[in-house]
Amino acid sequence: MTQPTVRLVDPTGAHPGDRRFPLAPRPRDLRGKRVVLLDNSKANAEPILRAIAKILDEEFGLGEVVHLTKHSASLPPRPELAAEVRRHADVVITGVGD
Amino acid sequence: MTDGSRATQIEVPDTLDAIEECHRRGWSDGLPVIPPTAARVSAMLDHVGLAPAHVLGEVPVRRRVLTGERAAANAVMAGCLPEHFPVLLAALEALFEHDANIVHEISAATNAPGFLVLVNGPVRQRIALACTDNVLSATNRANATIGRALRLIFMNVFESRQGVLDRACMGSLSKSGVCFGEDEERSPWPPLQTTRGFTAADSTVTMMSIQDPEMVGNRYGRTAESIMDAVADSIATHGLGVHFTFMENAWLWLVGHWHAEMLARAGWDRPRMQRYVFERAWRSRADLKRLGMMRGEIVGDDATARVPAAASPDDILIVKAGGDSGIYSTLIKIYIGMPATTVRVRESPTERSSR
């Protein structure tokens, strides 16, 4: 006798296709590089990013350092801000500082 | 749009095995689910005339796509009947219409917002949705399963899994999904959707992210003002003001039956009530600093500086709901992320295709 079978539809999420995001080329060194500190808007993001930039500057001698802030910690930057980042940055440092 | 891929199918020997398989695969919220069989999923889709691969929306930051088939599979698992599906689809439409990435904001938050599907219009009766007694914890199938379906979609499709992309610290009861209707029939005021661009004949869903509700127990006040003062006071202390300082808060006041009676008898309409409560729902900046809601030492005019609990009177939504067995209201904080967004419920395939 054949075993009765229940066929289940997998309810889990579909991937929206193969749209990979290649990583930007890594800089070979940081000397004189323009750095954007991309603040995620959490309360401690600014102190931690500034501290990191200070250490990097002391060690490598950075170029211009620009501090920009996202409108929301959990949403991607708005297009205007992304454009601003592109305009100012050879290197972007971002992170959560809650 | 029909470029969403079809779901894979899994075979198991019988129904009980199927329930266990759903647990094993992490598809459940902890309670048993109805096995999402191909036939049940098809019935759900056919009811609304939706193609399985139809893309309902995409969450870019999670790189996940919600298709009709996957929405239906989760609705089946939650225990929804096909006639519940249009309400769920309206809630999802509101979500995608606002900003799909809000899925991440709501569910990755260390704070623990849930979501509320507030239903207005004739669809409430057609699906036997509770609007009165025990409204927030009714045992009606529609109330329980529509909210649950949304939770399962967040987990299974949007990857809001505990400890991974669901980072809630304390969690919340409303995270399981809350769905109920306005008690329009006994409300002294026009139904909510008529204040948001729809008519009383329209069935709507107003979707929002929320924090857990809090009862407002004004049982002995003898005036309308006493009730509204209690609501304003509750707003000013609710959850001791997570994000109080952003002044972006909105609130949903579920006016209980007898509170509504007293307010209406004294001639209060919705706009005046909103204004009255708005003007009284604030705390001093000194309070917020003293209680750790705001950074910094108390300085200068902090003691007299008022921080309002909402941006405007319109940000205090007023809805009549609940039973008549006691004298209560309930206050719900609409968590920043998904503001109250109202969309029409399209119950039939014809309505859907006429969009």
Side-chain angles (χ1 to χ4, degrees), chain A residues 45-60:
Chain A
E46 182 176 354
I48 199 165
L49 287 172
R50 289 211 186 278
I52 290 168
K54 185 166 176 282
I55 293 167
L56 292 175
D57 187 37
E58 282 164 6
E59 194 160 332
F60 300 104

Side-chain angles (χ1 to χ4, degrees), chain A residues 3-51:
Chain A
Q3 190 86 340
T5 298
V6 180
R7 187 175 296 168
L8 302 178
V9 176
D10 185 336
T12 58
H15 199 277
D18 189 24
R19 282 182 285 150
R20 292 175 193 284
F21 301 97
L23 288 174
R26 311 284 92 181
R28 296 178 67 86
D29 78 74
L30 288 172
R31 185 157 309 277
K33 289 285 188 295
R34 300 169 310 148
V35 174
V36 162
L37 305 177
L38 184 57
D39 181 331
N40 76 342
S41 79
K42 289 275 186 180
N44 287 316
E46 182 176 354
I48 199 165
L49 287 172
R50 289 211 186 278

